């Protein structure tokens, strides 16, 4: 990989930094074009580079995208192919999956040239600006706070169904307080287990359900934000 990287840097006429990480770089020495180092802080290094090539771990991907530079992910395992797909979809780096196993010098060169295209550079720059403008800690805290405030958030579907109000004894909608009648039937929310009228808990298309099921507005909004798992 080191040799291929050095050759490609020479071909595209770009200087490069190769971080060995856990790999010992025995048998290789730095050149005028490629600097070999054991490692460096990503948050410091990436903003000084024109692109980043890495394994695609969640943290490393976040660092390169936050730096606003095109990213090439040479995935190895687990979630890394997913982050490569996000880079491709967003248009902020490589044009195709380029896993480390079997990676050829030709593919590496092709993807580096692709990442030097102005359109890719601009998209990566814009995404970096957007990410740096976010308050990640605050947003995460809010998501967790919203999640644990949902009815039955820490219960299994069986426990939630048992502890929620008895459907047969419920006389009015948990949302609008309208009394149930022959023309205003009961609908049990598939997320929180509370009983609503058909207006407050209409059939909705939810993840992990093959057909629309009753779901109240609050739970549906939370699901759209990725806060609630399927009941």
């Amino acid at each position: 990989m080191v040799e291929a990287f050095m050759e490609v840097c020479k071909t595209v006429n770009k200087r490069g930094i190769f971080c060995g990480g856990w790999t010992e770089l025995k048998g290789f020495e730095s050149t005028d074009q490629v600097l070999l180092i054991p490692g460096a802080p990503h948050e410091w290094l990436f903003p000084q580079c024109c692109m980043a090539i890495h394994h695609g771990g969640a943290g490393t991907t976040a660092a390169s995208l936050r730096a606003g530079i095109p990213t090439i992910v040479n995935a190895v395992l687990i979630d890394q192919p997913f982050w490569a797909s996000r880079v491709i979809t967003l248009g902020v780096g490589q044009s195709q999956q380029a896993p480390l196993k079997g990676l050829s010098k030709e593919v590496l060169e092709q993807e580096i040239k692709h990442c030097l295209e102005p359109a890719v550079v601009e998209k990566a720059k814009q995404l970096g600006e957007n990410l740096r403008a976010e308050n990640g800690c605050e947003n995460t805290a809010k998501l967790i706070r919203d999640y644990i405030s949902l009815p039955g958030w820490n219960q299994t579907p069986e426990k939630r169904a048992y502890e929620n109000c008895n459907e047969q004894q419920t006389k009015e909608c948990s949302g609008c307080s309208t009394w149930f009648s022959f023309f205003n039937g009961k609908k049990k929310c598939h997320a929180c287990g509370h009983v609503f009228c058909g207006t407050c808990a209409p059939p909705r298309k939810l993840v992990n359900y093959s057909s629309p099921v009753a779901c109240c507005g609050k739970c549906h909004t939370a699901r759209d934000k990725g806060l609630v798992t399927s009941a």
Side-chain angles (χ1 to χ4, degrees), residues 1-210:
M1 183 63 186
V2 180
E3 186 176 355
F5 180 72
M6 287 182 163
E7 291 182 14
V8 171
C9 284
K10 185 175 182 180
T11 301
V12 299
N13 194 29
K14 290 290 183 181
R15 292 182 299 166
I17 300 174
F18 193 101
C19 299
W22 295 342
T23 304
E24 294 185 9
L25 300 175
K26 292 182 179 180
F28 297 98
E29 294 183 359
S30 297
T31 66
D32 292 339
Q33 197 155 25
V34 177
L35 175 66
L36 304 180
I37 60 175
H42 296 157
E43 294 292 338
W44 171 82
L45 178 62
F46 287 169
Q48 304 181 65
C49 302
C50 68
M51 75 178 66
I53 306 170
H54 53 73
H55 65 298
T60 311
T61 304
S64 61
L65 296 182
R66 184 179 173 84
I69 57 176
T71 296
I72 298 175
V73 172
N74 297 142
V76 179
L77 73 173
I78 313 176
D79 61 328
Q80 296 164 5
F82 167 77
W83 294 118
S85 70
R86 293 302 299 148
V87 169
I88 296 169
T89 300
L90 294 171
V92 293
Q94 66 205 87
S95 63
Q96 61 180 324
Q97 289 282 356
L100 183 61
K101 184 177 181 179
L103 180 67
S104 67
K105 183 174 62 177
E106 291 73 23
V107 170
L108 181 60
E109 179 182 335
Q110 174 186 329
E111 294 308 317
I112 289 178
K113 289 180 177 178
H114 174 75
C115 287
L116 293 173
E117 294 180 3
V120 178
V121 173
E122 182 57 33
K123 284 185 177 181
K125 178 182 177 182
Q126 185 59 55
L127 178 60
E129 292 175 356
N130 294 342
L131 291 175
R132 293 192 297 274
E134 291 183 351
N135 189 328
C137 292
E138 181 179 344
N139 292 341
T140 301
K142 184 178 184 303
L143 288 172
I144 295 174
R145 187 167 57 246
D146 290 346
Y147 177 61
I148 63 177
S149 69
L150 293 170
W153 72 274
N154 63 341
Q155 299 175 351
T156 63
E158 294 79 9
K159 183 179 180 182
R160 184 163 57 230
Y162 176 79
E163 294 185 354
N164 280 335
C165 52
N166 188 299
E167 185 176 359
Q168 298 301 320
Q169 296 178 358
T170 304
K171 303 300 183 183
E172 61 183 39
C173 173
S174 298
C176 65
S177 299
T178 302
W179 280 73
F180 295 120
S181 67
F182 179 79
F183 300 101
N184 186 36
K186 301 175 182 179
K187 300 292 181 182
K188 197 164 189 176
C189 176
H190 277 62
C192 67
H194 284 70
V195 182
F196 297 84
C197 66
T199 301
C200 292
R204 305 178 194 268
K205 181 64 178 177
L206 302 180
V207 176
N208 294 339
Y209 287 95
S210 59

